[in-house]
């Protein structure tokens, strides 16, 4: 820079075409590159980190003690000199992981979350920061720092059940039939049937309607009745 400070740049060349569709020139883009010094990348600190080679296939150069504890790696020879596929599982988004590596190789620090797998096949969601590592003004290594997230185990140890592991996406072994039995159907209460009450008119007026009594019919006197009366 103008102040005499050394900076690492990334330079990209992109072809450009003319009106006839032929490549006529190149567009050069320069930008400051993110990087950490190699001595920091390989330093033994308290972080769970891995150092990869920048060129593909990005073999493992070094792992920290915390990374070995995070994934239960007893011997670093199990992973050093190989790729990180050793911690990939059925839920790992490999494309997303490699896109993060490629962007870091171009000098841009990346932060991604990704599912990984332990040797016991339990799934663990981790947050990974990918830093370019510069050596002799070139990005030759990548430093990956892992932060443990959701740990989904397949065993019942530690209070984690196989059922909860399956619910969170872990690919565990077969579950016993006693745990997969469907729940008994719930008995729905029968609807209450209410009878409609007949409303008596007396309930509305307070009086009882009684029909009027018919008067006694008048009987006309007969002739024999008149003769009998005359005899007396």
């Amino acid at each position: 820079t103008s102040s005499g400070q050394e900076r690492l740049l990334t330079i990209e060349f992109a072809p450009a075409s003319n009106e006839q569709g032929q490549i006529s020139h190149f567009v050069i883009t320069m930008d400051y590159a993110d990087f950490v010094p190699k001595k920091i990348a390989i330093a033994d600190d308290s972080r769970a980190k891995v150092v990869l080679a920048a060129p593909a296939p990005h073999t493992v150069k070094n792992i920290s003690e915390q990374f070995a504890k995070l994934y239960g790696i007893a011997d670093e020879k199990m992973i050093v000199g190989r790729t990180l596929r050793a911690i990939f599982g059925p839920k790992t988004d490999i494309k997303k992981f490699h896109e993060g590596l490629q962007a870091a190789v171009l000098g841009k620090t990346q932060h991604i979350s990704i599912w990984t797998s332990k040797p016991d096949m339990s799934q663990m969601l981790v947050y990974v920061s990918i830093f370019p590592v510069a050596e002799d003004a070139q990005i030759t290594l990548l430093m990956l720092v892992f932060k443990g997230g959701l740990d989904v185990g397949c065993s019942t140890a530690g209070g984690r059940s196989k059922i909860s592991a399956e619910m969170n996406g872990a690919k565990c072994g077969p579950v016993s039939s006693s745990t997969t039995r469907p729940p008994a159907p719930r008995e729905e209460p029968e609807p209450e049937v209410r009878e409609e009450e007949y409303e008596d008119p007396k309930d509305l007026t307070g009086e009882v309607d009684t029909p009027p009594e018919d008067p006694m019919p008048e009987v006309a006197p007969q002739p024999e009745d008149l003769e009998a009366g005359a005899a007396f």
Side-chain angles (χ1 to χ4, degrees):
T1 62
S2 58
S3 60
Q5 183 180 4
E6 294 183 354
R7 298 295 299 270
L8 186 63
L9 296 177
T10 58
I11 304 176
E12 297 181 5
F13 297 86
S17 304
N18 54 23
E19 296 179 355
Q20 287 74 31
Q22 299 176 347
I23 297 176
S24 58
H25 60 282
F26 289 88
V27 176
I28 302 175
T29 304
M30 294 185 295
D31 193 7
Y32 290 118
D34 302 328
F35 74 95
V36 296
K38 182 180 178 180
K39 62 180 181 180
I40 295 179
I42 64 176
D44 186 11
D45 52 32
S46 59
R47 294 180 293 179
K49 63 183 181 181
V50 178
V51 177
L52 303 180
H58 310 293
T59 55
V60 177
K61 296 295 184 181
N62 182 36
I63 65 173
S64 68
E65 182 179 351
Q66 290 299 321
F67 178 84
K69 290 181 179 180
L70 181 63
Y71 284 95
I73 299 175
D75 188 357
E76 66 176 13
K77 292 181 180 179
M78 296 172 56
I79 192 170
V80 174
R82 305 182 181 185
T83 66
L84 281 180
R85 286 185 175 271
I87 64 170
F88 289 173
K91 296 189 61 160
T92 304
D93 190 342
I94 300 177
K95 180 180 178 181
K96 177 181 179 181
F97 179 74
H98 282 290
E99 287 176 351
L101 295 181
Q102 293 300 320
V105 170
L106 297 178
K108 297 299 179 183
T109 300
Q110 301 295 303
H111 303 281
I112 62 174
S113 58
I114 191 171
W115 282 97
T116 57
S117 179
K118 291 184 177 181
D120 62 356
M121 292 305 296
S122 61
Q123 308 298 301
M124 182 168 61
L125 180 64
V126 293
Y127 184 77
V128 186
S129 298
I130 309 174
F131 300 94
V133 179
E135 182 183 16
D136 297 331
Q138 293 183 357
I139 297 175
T140 57
L141 301 171
L142 299 175
M143 181 181 71
L144 282 65
V145 179
F146 290 73
K147 293 183 179 179
L150 178 63
D151 189 1
V152 183
C154 290
S155 64
T156 56
R160 296 193 303 265
S161 67
K162 186 178 293 185
I163 297 299
S164 63
E166 294 284 353
M167 290 177 62
N168 286 279
K171 302 298 183 181
C172 305
V175 184
S176 62
S177 58
S178 61
T179 59
T180 57
R181 184 177 301 168
R186 295 179 57 186
E187 295 183 359
E188 298 292 339
E190 295 182 359
E192 181 181 356
V193 179
R194 299 183 59 183
E195 297 182 357
E196 296 184 359
E197 298 181 356
Y198 173 75
E199 294 184 353
D200 199 323
K202 68 179 180 180
D203 296 333
L204 302 177
T205 62
E207 299 179 356
V208 179
D209 295 336
T210 56
E213 296 182 359
D214 295 335
M216 292 290 293
E218 296 182 359
V219 180
Q222 300 295 324
E224 55 270 17
D225 294 336
L226 297 177
E227 292 178 1
F232 286 103

